[in-house]
């Protein structure tokens, strides 16, 4: 079977980490029919007068799946974030960010293995804002809906069940934000009993942060609203080695866009210094989504082994290899695993 997938290399380090990832995907032997679009962001503006051209959205609606490199957002001027717009236009409500300790990287904990499920479309980032010029009063409305809460919480429970997890923790601030966070917690408590095999608990967000930096091993799946999820997922990325190694996915009912957490890293772009591990693990999540579980596992296992042996790693994690040298060594491991 051939998988049709939209490929958005992005800019900055994007094309380099995409090339490295394609090499590793090739080693899985899975066949892809890539619908490649290079003209997005600044290049899209130049070519089509639009940083997120319709041809790109149409392609993702058609294939249902995209693998995406980072896209630069101009600061304080120019077009709004193509990355945020993609998530909103395609209603990609679940932002899934697994944070797992890799061997061979020096971090405070050796056994972190958790996933943040962040609501990606509403809450504090609904975009409902008001500013009274005369009184100098600003409002940002954290709109929480029952529908929006149900779909992310249900998504988290179903994912946890399907992937053999044990526990779901809902992070909130329902003691103070009685309406908005209160609704999110209430919906969680209603849905939890449907999943008897999964232990359910909840934590107030500030306590959650303390718990995560003291005992991250106690947590498995964490579901939360947009702003809390944004903050928690960076906190957890920091627990496991940082931006070069953390994967991510934006998933909706119709479409899914797979992209690493990191940005376009203009400071190291074009120098073969970028760590493609984050995007390679992102591609492993995509393989799983496409029903290619065996290939997905082979890629993740190869990454873990490469780090354990500290074999040809990139400079950000203390190695001396360049982007493609790391990818080539990893690709060999992947094909060895699959042919074994
Ligand atoms: P960044 O993630 O691009 O870089 C932060 C730091 O981490 C830099 O020092 C960079 O060199 C390093 N870094 C990032 N990824 C790395 C990798 N794979 N290997 C080794 N080092 C890595 O964040 P920054 O500088 O805040 O943003 C740069 C641009 O990227 C901005 O225009 C921003 O809007 C955009 N961005 C795009 C995202 C996306 O496409 N989803 C996400 C985040 C930022
Ligand atoms: Mg963030």
């Amino acid at each position: 079977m051939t998988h049709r997938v939209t490929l958005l290399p992005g800019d900055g380090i994007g094309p380099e980490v995409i090339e490295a990832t394609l090499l590793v995907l090739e080693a899985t032997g899975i066949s892809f029919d890539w619908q490649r679009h290079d003209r997005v962001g600044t290049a899209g503006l130049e070519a089509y007068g639009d940083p997120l051209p319709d041809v790109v959205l149409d392609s993702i609606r058609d294939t249902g799946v995209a693998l995406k490199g980072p896209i630069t957002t101009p600061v304080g001027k120019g077009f709004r974030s193509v990355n945020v717009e993609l998530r909103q236009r395609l209603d990609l409500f679940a932002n899934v960010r697994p944070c797992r300790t890799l061997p061979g990287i020096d971090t405070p904990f050796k056994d972190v293995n958790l996933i943040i499920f962040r609501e990606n479309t509403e809450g504090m980032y609904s975009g409902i804002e008001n500013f009274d010029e005369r009184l100098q009063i600003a409002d940002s409305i954290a709109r929480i809906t029952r529908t929006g809460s149900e779909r992310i919480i249900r998504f988290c429970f179903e994912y946890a069940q399907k992937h053999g997890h044990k526990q779901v923790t809902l992070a909130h601030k329902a003691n103070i934000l009685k309406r908005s966070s209160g609704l999110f917690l209430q919906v969680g408590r209603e849905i939890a009993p449907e999943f008897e095999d999964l232990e359910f608990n909840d934590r107030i967000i500030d306590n959650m942060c303390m718990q995560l930096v003291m005992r991250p091993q106690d947590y498995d799946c964490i579901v939360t609203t947009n702003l809390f999820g944004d903050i928690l997922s960076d906190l957890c990325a920091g627990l496991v080695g940082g931006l070069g190694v953390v994967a991510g996915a934006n998933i909706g009912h119709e479409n899914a866009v797979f992209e690493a957490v990191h940005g376009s890293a203009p400071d190291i772009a074009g120098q073969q210094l970028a760590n493609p591990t984050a995007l390679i693990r992102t591609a492993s999540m995509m393989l799983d989504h496409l029903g290619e579980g065996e290939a997905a596992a082979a890629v993740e296992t190869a990454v873990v082994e490469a780090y354990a042996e500290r074999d040809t790693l990139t400079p950000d994690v203390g190695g001396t290899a360049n982007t493609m040298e790391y990818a080539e060594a990893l690709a060999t491991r992947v094909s060895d695993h699959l042919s074994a």
Side-chain angles (χ1 to χ4, degrees):
M1 179 183 179
T2 296
H3 298 284
R4 290 184 73 236
V5 176
T6 302
L7 185 67
L8 307 176
D11 52 35
I13 59 169
E16 295 165 71
V17 289
I18 282 277
E19 191 192 350
T21 302
L22 291 180
L23 193 75
V24 174
L25 283 175
E26 217 167 278
T28 65
I30 308 249
S31 159
F32 290 96
D33 175 11
W34 299 107
Q35 310 290 306
R36 182 174 176 134
H37 294 275
D38 292 281
R39 291 162 174 175
V40 187
T42 303
L45 196 60
E46 282 164 11
Y48 302 102
D50 186 351
L52 182 55
D54 283 340
V55 63
V56 171
L57 287 166
D58 288 345
S59 172
I60 301 173
R61 289 190 183 108
D62 181 38
T63 60
V65 184
L67 181 64
K68 175 185 168 298
I71 297 168
T72 303
T73 307
V75 177
K77 60 180 167 58
F79 54 87
R80 64 183 292 243
S81 166
V82 170
N83 313 304
V84 171
E85 205 176 334
L86 252 183
R87 297 169 198 163
Q88 291 180 344
R89 296 274 296 272
L90 297 172
D91 207 17
L92 306 171
F93 63 87
N95 185 199
V96 183
R97 210 175 265 192
C99 294
R100 230 174 281 130
T101 300
L102 278 171
I105 306 188
D106 191 19
T107 55
F109 301 100
K110 297 294 156 227
D111 46 4
V112 179
N113 186 4
L114 54 83
I115 308 182
I116 308 285
F117 295 82
R118 164 190 173 189
E119 202 291 322
N120 221 7
T121 62
E122 54 178 37
M124 196 57 116
Y125 299 176
S126 316
I128 311 169
E129 296 201 295
N130 182 48
F131 183 58
D132 187 316
E133 191 68 52
R134 192 176 61 87
L135 297 175
Q136 293 285 296
I137 296 175
D139 301 307
S140 299
I141 308 291
R143 173 165 291 168
I144 299 290
T145 66
R146 173 169 280 276
T147 311
S149 303
E150 272 176 8
R151 63 181 185 176
I152 181 68
I153 294 168
R154 201 170 281 288
F155 181 95
C156 173
F157 273 101
E158 284 170 356
Y159 186 105
Q161 193 170 56
K162 184 177 165 209
H163 293 82
H165 291 268
K166 302 271 177 284
Q167 175 187 257
V168 171
T169 301
L170 183 148
H172 63 87
K173 189 74 184 178
N175 51 331
I176 307 294
L177 307 172
K178 291 185 194 299
R179 302 280 179 220
S180 56
S181 236
L183 176 58
F184 193 75
L185 175 59
Q186 183 188 327
V187 171
R189 286 181 172 158
E190 287 168 14
I191 290 175
E194 292 176 34
F195 297 84
E196 287 174 353
D197 306 343
L198 292 164
E199 186 195 329
F200 176 69
N201 55 33
D202 69 272
R203 294 283 181 273
I204 294 174
I205 186 66
D206 32 1
N207 177 34
M208 179 91 253
C209 291
M210 186 197 68
Q211 301 275 339
L212 281 170
V213 296
M214 291 189 74
R215 284 187 300 278
Q217 310 86 346
D218 290 355
Y219 295 90
D220 185 355
C221 296
I222 300 172
V223 65
T224 191
T225 47
N226 209 336
L227 171 65
F228 297 157
D230 191 5
I231 298 168
L232 278 192
S233 51
D234 272 30
L235 185 156
C236 292
L239 293 175
V240 298
L243 288 172
V245 300
V246 180
N250 303 288
I251 300 179
H253 286 310
E254 311 286 332
N255 305 295
V257 173
F258 291 84
E259 63 176 338
V261 174
H262 63 74
S264 55
D267 53 334
I268 56 167
Q271 300 169 53
Q272 285 287 308
L273 288 172
N275 187 351
T277 303
L279 191 67
I280 290 167
R281 296 176 106 187
T282 297
S284 168
M285 291 176 78
M286 181 186 77
L287 286 168
D288 192 60
H289 178 85
L290 292 170
E292 302 288 1
E294 193 191 352
V299 171
E300 179 64 15
T301 304
V303 168
V304 172
E305 279 178 8
Y307 276 79
E309 292 171 28
R310 296 201 55 78
D311 172 31
T312 49
L313 299 182
T314 49
D316 60 307
V317 284
T320 54
N322 72 30
T323 307
M324 281 312 269
E325 285 164 355
Y326 167 74
E328 278 158 17
L330 197 63
T332 306
R333 283 182 187 275
V334 169
S335 44
D336 286 352
H337 268 291
L338 288 166
S339 60

